Structures are given as C-alpha cells and as structure tokens.
C-alpha cells in the first residue's frame, strides 16, 4: 500500500517534464528518483510512467493516481488544519497562477502579506500572458481576467472589471475623427495579446441605445505585456483597451483620456478559479481566497 509520502513524491513526478527535472526539485539524484518510482509501481502492480531519454509521460494509471492523489493530499492537509485553529497550523505550499500585469501589481504583494501572516505557508506564484490550468500540475488558485471558456473549475468573482478605450492627448490632437467605433478602422490601434482572447476583435455597446458595434482592428503594435502596450499609448502611438483599475493614475493626471465614453466595452470580471468547492478546499486555500476577496477591492480603489 502506498502512503502520503509516496503520493507527494508522485505528484512532483507528474508535474515534471522528466525524472531529471523531478530530481532537481527534490534535490536528489536521478537514479534515486527512478528507484523510488519503481518501488511505487511494484506496490501498485502497474506501470505509472512511460520513460525515455529526455521526457516522461503518464500512463492511464499514472494520470488517475496524479489526479486523485492530489485530492487526497488536499483532504489530508485540510484534516490536519481543521484539528488545530492556530495560525502556525496553517502550513504547506500554496501554488498560484496569474496573468502578468495583474499578478505583478496585485497578487504578488498580496501573497507576500499573506505569507507574513502565516509564516508556515510557502507560496509559489507563476505569471504568464496566457495563464493555463494543467491537470497534473494544477495550481491551488488561478486568477483570471477576460473571456472565460466553459470550464469545470469553480469560479469565484473577486471584483467587477470595467474596460475602456484610451488614448493620449497628443494622439487625439492629430488623429482622424473618432465618434463611432467604426471610425477605429482609420486609427492606430494597439493590441494586448493575453489569455488566448481574440485581441483584435473589439466589441462596444452604446450606453443609452444599447446599439452594439463589433470592430476588427488591424493593430500597428501588439505585445503580450500590458505595461508595454500602455507605455506605447502614453507615448502617443495609438489607442488601447485597458481595465479601469490599471489606468486610475493616468486618467487622474490627464496623461490618458477615456475615448468614446458613450460606449461600453465588454466587461471581464476578475475571478479566482479553483478545482475544489468550498467544502473540500484546504484551510490555507480558503484563507488566502478570503484574504484576496477582502484586500483586492481596497487595492483596486487605491491604485
């Protein structure tokens, strides 16, 4: 029979590209990783991993063990935490995934604050322009903004997110007329490519009439880093879509101007995605989610 240490070990194997990569994470030699894996396979009487020189892949049995083993470890962690309610009892690793700009500006600082409150928790935050959920190396929480495809993941809304069209005063002084979304076809547009969204399809709704307009832009500049696209806009290079929380200072200073204010862009709520429902989450995950729900609105209003 395998034990919790075996499950923890195999979870690392499942989340690694190769046995050598797993050995580096475990700070042991590759032969010792191979030997321990073989011992687990002998215990279960099945092959868990297909091995070759450079990579590994899970067999069907390995995939089932990785998925259900992770859930069992979470339940064990929750049981341990439920027995004691002290802060020091909240321990273990918290794995987070977020988009680049939002993660850098908000989730990173909040993660540090939380770790100071719960010193026995270690936090790993991975940022990406296309944050994804991996079945075998899944995070505890993924923070997401924008169009959300159908998913079996549990969704918690953290804050409403209003997007707006923006340009610098210098650009607006010299550009063609801009009275309707269709006029964008004659303008310099800047695209932010993230979250697998269609970055060149901009959709508008008139606030008063509810008239809709969909414009396919041909961006003169595009990037997967939000800070770069905003800097281009500040330099007068063209128009961008941006969340209101990310341009509060620029709007207040006048360095950016809200364009076509009679129209609304598609809203994209800021959400937390989790694999487990509230009943089955570990206490550290629940506490961090509650912490972000409490602190994030304050940060969005301040910045």
């Amino acid at each position: 029979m395998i034990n919790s240490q075996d499950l923890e070990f195999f979870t690392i194997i499942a989340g690694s590209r190769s046995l050598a990569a797993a050995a580096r994470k475990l700070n042991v030699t590759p032969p010792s990783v191979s030997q321990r894996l073989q011992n687990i396979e002998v215990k279960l009487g099945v092959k868990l991993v297909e091995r070759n020189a450079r990579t590994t892949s899970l067999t069907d049995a390995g995939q089932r063990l990785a998925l259900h083993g992770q859930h069992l470890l979470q339940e064990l962690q929750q049981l341990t935490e439920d027995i004691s309610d002290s802060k020091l009892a909240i321990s273990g690793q918290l794995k987070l995934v977020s988009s680049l700009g939002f993660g850098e500006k908000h989730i990173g600082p909040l993660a540090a604050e939380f770790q100071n409150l719960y010193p026995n928790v270690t936090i790993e935050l991975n940022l990406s322009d296309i944050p994804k959920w991996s079945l075998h190396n899944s995070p505890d929480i993924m923070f997401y903004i924008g169009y959300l495809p159908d998913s079996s993941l549990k969704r918690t809304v953290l804050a409403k997110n209003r997007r707006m069209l923006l340009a610098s005063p210098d650009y607006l002084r010299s550009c063609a007329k801009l009275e309707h979304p269709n006029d964008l076809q004659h303008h310099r547009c800047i695209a932010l490519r993230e979250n697998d969204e269609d970055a060149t399809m901009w959709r508008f709704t008139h606030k008063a009439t509810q008239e809709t307009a969909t414009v396919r832009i041909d961006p003169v500049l595009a990037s997967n880093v939000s800070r770069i696209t905003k800097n281009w806009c500040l330099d007068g290079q063209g128009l961008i879509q941006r969340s209101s929380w990310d341009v509060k200072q620029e709007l207040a200073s006048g360095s950016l101007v809200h364009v076509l204010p009679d129209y609304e862009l598609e809203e994209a709520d800021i959400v937390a995605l989790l694999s487990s429902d509230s009943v089955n989450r570990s206490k550290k995950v629940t506490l961090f989610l509650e912490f972000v729900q409490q602190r994030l609105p304050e940060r969005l209003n301040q910045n």
Side-chain angles (χ1 to χ4, degrees):
M1 178 182 296
I2 62 173
N3 54 38
S4 61
Q5 288 78 21
D6 292 331
L7 289 177
E8 290 173 356
F9 169 79
F10 190 72
T11 298
I12 295 174
I13 294 291
S16 304
R17 292 180 179 274
S18 65
L19 295 185
R24 288 192 292 271
K25 291 180 182 178
L26 294 164
N27 197 28
V28 296
T29 64
S32 66
V33 168
S34 181
Q35 182 61 53
R36 185 170 180 185
L37 176 59
Q38 289 177 17
N39 291 339
I40 295 174
E41 290 176 327
V42 169
K43 287 182 182 180
L44 294 174
V46 294
K47 190 172 186 178
L48 299 172
V49 176
E50 296 287 356
R51 308 157 175 83
N52 60 41
R54 294 188 176 180
T55 62
T56 59
S57 61
L58 300 182
T59 64
D60 289 343
Q63 291 177 359
R64 291 197 301 273
L65 181 61
L67 178 62
H68 295 296
Q70 189 173 58
H71 290 162
L72 287 171
L73 288 172
Q74 290 173 349
E75 291 175 2
L76 181 61
Q77 178 70 31
Q78 182 180 5
L79 176 61
T80 302
E81 293 167 354
D82 287 345
I83 292 173
S84 174
D85 60 0
S86 70
K87 284 188 176 182
L88 292 178
I90 308 301
S91 62
Q93 186 181 54
L94 192 61
K95 296 175 67 175
L96 311 173
V97 169
S98 178
S99 58
L100 284 169
F102 182 72
E104 181 180 22
K105 191 167 187 177
H106 294 295
I107 300 303
L110 289 176
E113 287 184 36
F114 185 83
Q115 202 284 323
N116 285 330
L117 288 173
Y118 299 94
N120 284 350
V121 173
T122 61
I123 299 179
E124 178 182 328
L125 171 61
N126 290 304
L127 304 182
S128 171
D129 55 319
I130 307 178
K132 291 185 179 294
W133 191 284
S134 169
L135 177 63
H136 305 306
N137 195 26
S138 58
D140 294 297
I141 307 175
M142 182 167 77
F143 297 94
Y144 199 91
I145 303 174
Y147 170 73
L148 186 62
D150 291 339
S151 171
S152 61
L153 297 172
K154 311 305 177 185
R155 180 175 180 267
T156 299
V157 176
L158 301 174
K160 290 293 184 180
N161 183 37
R162 179 189 173 209
R163 285 174 168 174
M164 54 182 61
L165 189 66
L166 300 144
S168 71
D170 286 344
Y171 176 80
L172 293 175
R173 277 192 287 268
S174 59
C175 71
K177 73 169 185 175
L178 185 51
E179 300 172 351
H180 188 276
N182 290 337
D183 294 334
L184 288 170
Q185 298 172 8
H186 308 294
H187 281 263
R188 292 171 58 87
C189 296
I190 300 169
L192 174 61
R193 301 189 186 278
E194 62 179 2
N195 293 349
D196 275 342
E197 285 191 79
D198 187 345
T200 63
M201 185 66 77
W202 291 4
R203 297 178 175 87
F204 299 82
T205 302
H206 194 277
K207 294 178 182 177
T209 67
Q210 296 303 298
E211 168 204 1
T212 61
T214 301
V215 180
R216 173 70 73 181
I217 65 163
D218 185 13
V220 295
L221 293 165
S223 175
N224 65 332
V225 179
S226 61
R227 185 170 60 253
I228 290 176
T229 59
K230 183 163 71 171
N231 287 341
W232 282 336
C233 187
L234 287 165
D235 290 340
Q237 296 297 324
L239 296 126
I240 60 170
Q241 287 191 48
R242 191 50 50 96
S243 298
S244 58
W245 59 263
D246 194 31
V247 290
K248 282 181 176 290
Q249 295 179 355
E250 290 80 6
L251 287 171
S253 68
S255 56
L256 289 179
V257 177
H258 184 191
V259 181
L260 295 179
D262 292 334
Y263 288 85
E264 293 179 333
L265 285 159
E266 281 187 308
E267 290 190 358
D269 292 344
I270 302 170
V271 302
L273 301 177
L274 306 98
S275 62
S276 57
D277 56 32
S278 58
V279 175
N280 296 312
R281 287 173 199 153
S282 68
K283 196 165 185 179
K284 67 176 182 291
V285 172
T286 299
L287 286 172
F288 185 75
L289 184 59
E290 292 174 349
F291 179 77
V292 173
Q293 286 176 303
Q294 178 184 0
R295 292 282 289 112
L296 181 60
E298 299 173 11
R299 292 186 60 85
L300 295 178
N301 290 327
Q302 290 170 359
N303 292 302

